[in-house]
Every structure is written in C-alpha cells, then in structure tokens.
Amino acid sequence: MRKIFLLGVWLFSFVGANAESREDMSVSESGSVNGHTYVDLGLPSGLKWATCNVGASKPEEYGDYFAWGEVNPAPSNNYSEDNCSVYDVRTSELKERGVIDTNNELTDKYDAATSNWGKGWRMPTEEEFKELLNSCVWEWDNLEGVDGYKVSSKVNSNWIFLPAAGYRYGTSSSGVVSYGLYWSSTVYESNSYRAYYLYFNFYSSSKYTDYGSRFLGRTVRPVSE
C-alpha cells in the first residue's frame, strides 16, 4: 500500500508540474485589431505587440519574410537586390517618393504590417524595439516545438513569443532555430543600402538592434498604439 501511495504522489506531482508548465506557456492575449490579437506588456509607451508575425496564424509560426519597404514576400522567394525596389535609394529620395516620412519611418503604403493587417497596425520603430529589449524579461524558450524568445512584462503576467525564424538570402534560408531578425520601420539614413532590425542569437544570448541590407528577407512583428 505504501508503494502505491508513493506512486500516486509521484504521478500527481508529475502531472501537476507539467500542467503548471503548460499553463505558464499559454498564449497571452489582451485584445484585437482587425481580427489580429495583441498583448499589453505594460510598456512605458503603452505600445501593444501582436501575438504573431505577419503571415502566421500562431505565435510559434515564422510567418512570411519581407525585404525592407516591400509589402509582399519576394517573387519566387528570391531575396535579392533586384527584388527590393528601395535598395540603394538615398534617404532624400525615399522621402521624395513617399517611402518614408520626416521621422525616417516607412509610410503606410510601404509598411508590411499596415498593408497586410490594415490600419491600426504598423511595423515597430528601432526605438520601440529598444523599449522591448529594455523593459521586458527575455528568456530563451520553446513553444510547441519551436525555439525562440519568450518576452515577458515586468509589470504584469503577459508575454509574447518571438520565434527564431532566421532570415532569407536569395532562395535560401539561414539562421533558422538559432537567430531572430525582425525588421523595424526605421531607415539607416547614412547608407542607401540598409535599414534597422532587431537581432537575437541563441549561442551568445545577444539581443540588440542593428542595421543591414534592405533586400534580405526578414520577419515582421506588428505593433498597435
């Protein structure tokens, strides 16, 4: 009887621990805009972050990849200079063409989040990525078999998951499972080839904003005000 009792206690503890783990990884949702859900992380700016990438229906899905300033995935999934209409275009010309505004951010017509999800959604700025980095707790985790960062609020129980979707160059993908590279809406004005993005790396635990080639295919996580 004692063995049966101890086995029962062990099974209860095992199931309870796993139930707690599953509850801990249940997806946070605070509301929706145009049918797409967002999470309120209690950020100083009040900005709300989408639960999924553009082109994804679940937080753990990678979604679509975009060149910067393009609102559709590259033709034939070939991410090259020829398939990025704003590659090697100076900041002054980008403003003249209405690609970016006076704050050096993409306008609605060239914003992959706005164009695909509608008004109320847009791509985050570089500064908003920095706020996410500085105002949340970042933990490497796994959601439904997919690796990435669980980004948790410091003021409430909400969180978002950013899958390590890597990036696309030409017709090939790179860094999937280990790296995350998410476009911002902010142009790198000192160079006609580059724009800012969020970068994270599992191997070194690095997390920061950087600037890189506009024609590369990167994922997009929308925000709402």
Side-chain angles (χ1 to χ4, degrees), residues 162-177:
L162 297 175
Y167 67 97
R168 293 186 177 274
Y169 175 36
T171 57
S172 301
S173 60
S174 181
V176 176
V177 179

Side-chain angles (χ1 to χ4, degrees), residues 19-208:
E20 183 177 354
S21 176
R22 287 194 296 272
E23 182 179 353
D24 182 58
M25 288 302 288
S26 60
V27 177
S28 301
E29 291 183 8
S30 303
S32 66
V33 177
N34 297 333
H36 299 281
T37 55
Y38 64 79
V39 176
D40 182 359
L41 295 168
L43 297 172
S45 66
L47 195 69
K48 312 300 189 294
W49 283 79
T51 57
C52 299
N53 292 344
V54 174
S57 58
K58 298 177 182 179
E60 68 273 15
E61 292 178 354
Y62 297 154
D64 294 326
Y65 295 76
F66 301 87
W68 189 83
E70 301 294 334
V71 298
N72 295 302
S76 302
N77 284 318
N78 184 6
Y79 292 84
S80 65
E81 294 93 330
D82 294 336
N83 286 331
C84 181
S85 62
V86 297
Y87 188 69
D88 194 17
V89 179
R90 293 176 299 175
T91 301
S92 58
E93 186 178 344
L94 291 175
K95 289 180 179 177
E96 291 173 4
R97 290 166 50 177
V99 176
I100 60 174
D101 58 23
T102 56
N103 295 317
N104 294 327
E105 309 294 345
L106 287 169
T107 58
D108 290 354
K109 182 179 177 180
Y110 294 88
D111 186 307
T114 307
S115 295
N116 285 277
W117 283 17
K119 289 285 188 179
W121 292 106
R122 59 174 175 80
M123 293 165 63
T125 67
E126 185 207 7
E127 288 302 314
E128 288 165 347
F129 270 132
K130 288 180 177 179
E131 179 186 51
L132 191 69
L133 288 167
N134 296 327
S135 299
C136 292
V137 177
W138 289 64
E139 301 171 286
W140 190 261
D141 216 321
N142 183 283
L143 181 63
E144 300 296 335
V146 177
D147 290 327
Y149 265 104
K150 180 181 179 183
V151 183
S152 303
S153 170
K154 292 181 179 179
V155 299
N156 58 43
S157 60
N158 295 337
W159 56 273
I160 60 172
F161 183 75
L162 297 175
Y167 67 97
R168 293 186 177 274
Y169 175 36
T171 57
S172 301
S173 60
S174 181
V176 176
V177 179
S178 303
Y179 299 88
L181 301 100
Y182 286 73
W183 277 128
S184 81
S185 62
T186 311
V187 72
Y188 180 62
E189 58 183 315
S190 300
N191 187 298
S192 60
Y193 303 95
R194 302 173 185 268
Y196 285 98
Y197 63 94
L198 169 70
Y199 171 85
F200 58 76
N201 179 345
F202 164 71
Y203 296 107
S204 65
S205 299
S206 300
K207 303 178 290 292
Y208 51 81

